[in-house]
């Protein structure tokens, strides 16, 4: 566990190579968190993948143990969050390492996309979890408008989620399977204690039309294999958006895409079905390494996987 001082914050991160320096010779995996949540929820997946990969988790500015002091001036935008992650990548030497895999969850999928483009020369794969694209229709526009209002309300009332019954309802909305008391408490604690300005800003740009248009363009431009992963009973972000993302990339991108659907999971597949989620990531990482060595073999067997 370490801190990376920079102009935005004292960025808290965990690099598994600190305990095992030999892992610096292995491909790295950078995990990018969702909205109003610290990096702690990646730990069960890291425990599995760190046997073969150098795993890096970090708390984005405004969340977890990362410190924002008076002299820091973080911009709570996609570009700002991508810049702090990119600076961390360079600080750890991942930009010159044996390869980088990036995993972004929810809002973190938008940030992960920008990081992937900034480090395309070492990128081996990107995984976008529960972060889709949507058609621009009046119905969708109204939905985004209502969601924006819900973000404002939830921020003013979020202390209420610390106790039942709202705490239980909050978790049930995020996960369809039991994720255990430890991680239920973590999810709620992070949401209710994250920096309010950062949380509101992230919630708003996650549904901003211009930001979503840019995200759509940029995710199509990722020059490495992309895995689109989603729980089809997600009640936080409509899962159809991630399916649409896969279909559009499949049609328009020159690099491979695959879709992994957890048919009975929600917004937190990394906690709801940790073993299978980690296995699908590992398979994708292995394909990314093969694609890097031989881009001519870009076909993926079973590029749509549905898991019950």
């Amino acid at each position: 566990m370490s801190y990376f001082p920079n102009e935005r914050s004292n960025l808290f991160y965990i690099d598994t190579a600190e305990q095992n320096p030999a892992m610096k010779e292995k491909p790295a995996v950078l995990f990018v968190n969702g909205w109003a949540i610290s990096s702690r929820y990646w730990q069960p997946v890291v425990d599995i993948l760190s046997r073969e990969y150098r795993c890096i988790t970090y708390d984005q500015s405004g969340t977890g143990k990362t410190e924002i002091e008076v002299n820091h001036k973080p911009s709570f935008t996609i570009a700002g969050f991508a810049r702090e992650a990119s600076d961390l990548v360079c600080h750890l030497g991942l930009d010159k390492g044996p390869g980088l895999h990036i995993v972004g969850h929810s809002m973190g999928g938008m940030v992960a996309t920008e990081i992937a483009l900034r480090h395309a020369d070492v990128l081996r794969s990107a995984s976008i979890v529960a972060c889709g694209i949507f058609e621009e229709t009046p119905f969708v526009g109204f939905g985004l408008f209502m969601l924006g209002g819900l973000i404002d309300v939830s921020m003013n009332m979020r202390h209420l989620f610390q106790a039942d019954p709202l705490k239980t309802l909050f978790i049930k909305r995020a996960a369809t399977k039991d994720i255990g008391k430890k991680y239920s408490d973590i999810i709620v604690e992070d949401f209710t204690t994250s920096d309010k300005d950062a949380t509101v800003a992230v919630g708003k740009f996650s549904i901003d039309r211009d930001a979503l248009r840019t995200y759509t363009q940029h995710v199509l431009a990722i020059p490495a294999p992309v895995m689109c992963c989603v729980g089809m009973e997600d009640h936080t972000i409509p899962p159809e958006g991630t399916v649409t993302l896969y279909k559009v990339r499949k049609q328009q991108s020159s690099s491979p895409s695959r879709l992994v659907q957890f048919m009975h999971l929600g917004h937190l597949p990394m906690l709801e079905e940790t073993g299978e989620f980690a296995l699908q990531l590992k398979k994708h990482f292995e394909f990314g390494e093969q694609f890097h060595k031989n881009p001519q073999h870009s076909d993926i067997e079973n590029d749509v996987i549905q898991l019950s």
Side-chain angles (χ1 to χ4, degrees):
M1 294 182 285
S2 299
Y3 281 89
F4 166 48
N6 60 84
E7 64 179 12
R8 289 176 57 86
S9 64
N10 290 325
L11 193 73
F12 174 81
Y13 70 93
I14 299 176
D15 178 4
T16 57
E18 288 186 351
Q19 294 184 337
N20 183 4
M23 296 307 294
K24 290 184 179 181
E25 304 304 318
K26 299 287 187 178
V29 184
L30 178 71
F31 294 90
V32 188
N33 314 333
W35 179 51
I37 191 168
S38 73
S39 57
R40 293 182 289 176
Y41 73 125
W42 290 115
Q43 192 58 51
V45 173
V46 169
D47 288 342
I48 296 174
L49 294 178
S50 59
R51 302 164 193 165
E52 300 177 55
Y53 297 91
R54 178 183 181 181
C55 296
I56 296 95
T57 57
Y58 71 102
D59 293 347
Q60 297 178 87
S61 50
T63 64
K65 295 182 180 180
T66 287
E67 303 166 345
I68 299 177
E69 298 177 347
V70 176
N71 60 313
H72 293 139
K73 298 179 180 179
S75 58
F76 300 126
T77 62
I78 295 175
F81 286 116
R83 185 169 61 253
E84 74 180 5
S86 180
D87 288 346
L88 178 63
V89 166
C90 296
H91 172 69
L92 296 176
L94 307 181
D95 57 327
K96 299 179 177 62
L100 177 63
H101 302 275
I102 300 175
V103 182
H105 171 235
S106 194
M107 174 282 300
M110 302 174 78
V111 178
T113 295
E114 298 303 310
I115 305 168
L117 295 180
R118 288 170 183 245
H119 298 284
D121 52 339
V122 292
L123 184 69
R124 298 293 182 266
S125 79
S127 298
I128 307 297
V129 185
C131 183
I133 59 176
F134 302 92
E135 297 180 5
E136 292 195 23
T137 65
F139 178 77
V140 171
F142 179 73
L144 294 177
F145 172 77
M146 294 299 294
L147 184 55
L150 183 61
I151 290 170
D152 289 331
V153 172
S154 65
M155 285 299 96
N156 291 325
M157 301 176 58
R158 60 180 176 166
H159 64 282
L160 298 176
F161 290 97
Q162 295 175 344
D164 282 328
L166 289 182
K167 178 179 179 179
T168 298
L169 291 173
F170 184 82
I171 295 299
K172 285 187 174 181
R173 183 171 179 82
T176 59
K177 288 186 67 175
D178 181 26
I179 61 173
K181 184 178 185 304
K182 175 181 178 179
Y183 285 99
S184 295
D185 289 347
I186 283 174
I187 298 297
V188 172
E189 180 183 352
D190 285 346
F191 174 69
T192 55
T193 60
S194 61
D195 181 88
K196 182 177 180 180
D197 290 339
T199 303
V200 170
V202 171
K204 292 295 180 68
F205 77 57
S206 297
I207 59 175
D208 177 77
R209 281 186 177 274
D210 290 335
L212 291 173
R213 290 190 192 107
T214 300
Y215 167 59
T216 300
Q217 294 170 359
H218 287 184
V219 79
L220 293 176
I222 295 175
V226 170
M227 181 177 78
C228 304
C229 179
V230 66
M232 294 305 292
E233 293 189 19
D234 188 342
H235 300 298
T236 301
I237 297 177
E240 294 79 13
T242 302
V243 177
T244 299
L245 172 60
Y246 159 75
K247 290 179 178 178
V248 173
R249 252 196 70 94
K250 187 73 174 176
Q251 294 172 352
Q252 300 184 26
S253 176
S254 58
S255 56
S257 305
R258 65 195 293 255
L259 173 66
V260 175
Q261 297 171 284
F262 288 92
M263 304 309 292
H264 301 295
L265 300 187
H267 194 62
L268 299 169
M270 70 291 293
L271 294 175
E272 298 174 76
E273 198 63 65
T274 302
E276 188 61 46
F277 180 80
L279 177 61
Q280 293 304 319
L281 282 180
K282 185 172 179 293
K283 288 181 177 179
H284 185 57
F285 298 163
E286 291 171 349
F287 178 80
E289 296 289 347
Q290 294 171 4
F291 178 77
H292 174 71
K293 294 175 183 176
N294 191 351
Q296 300 305 316
H297 294 285
S298 60
D299 293 334
I300 305 176
E301 293 184 8
N302 301 323
D303 60 347
V304 176
I305 299 177
Q306 296 181 338
L307 301 168
S308 59

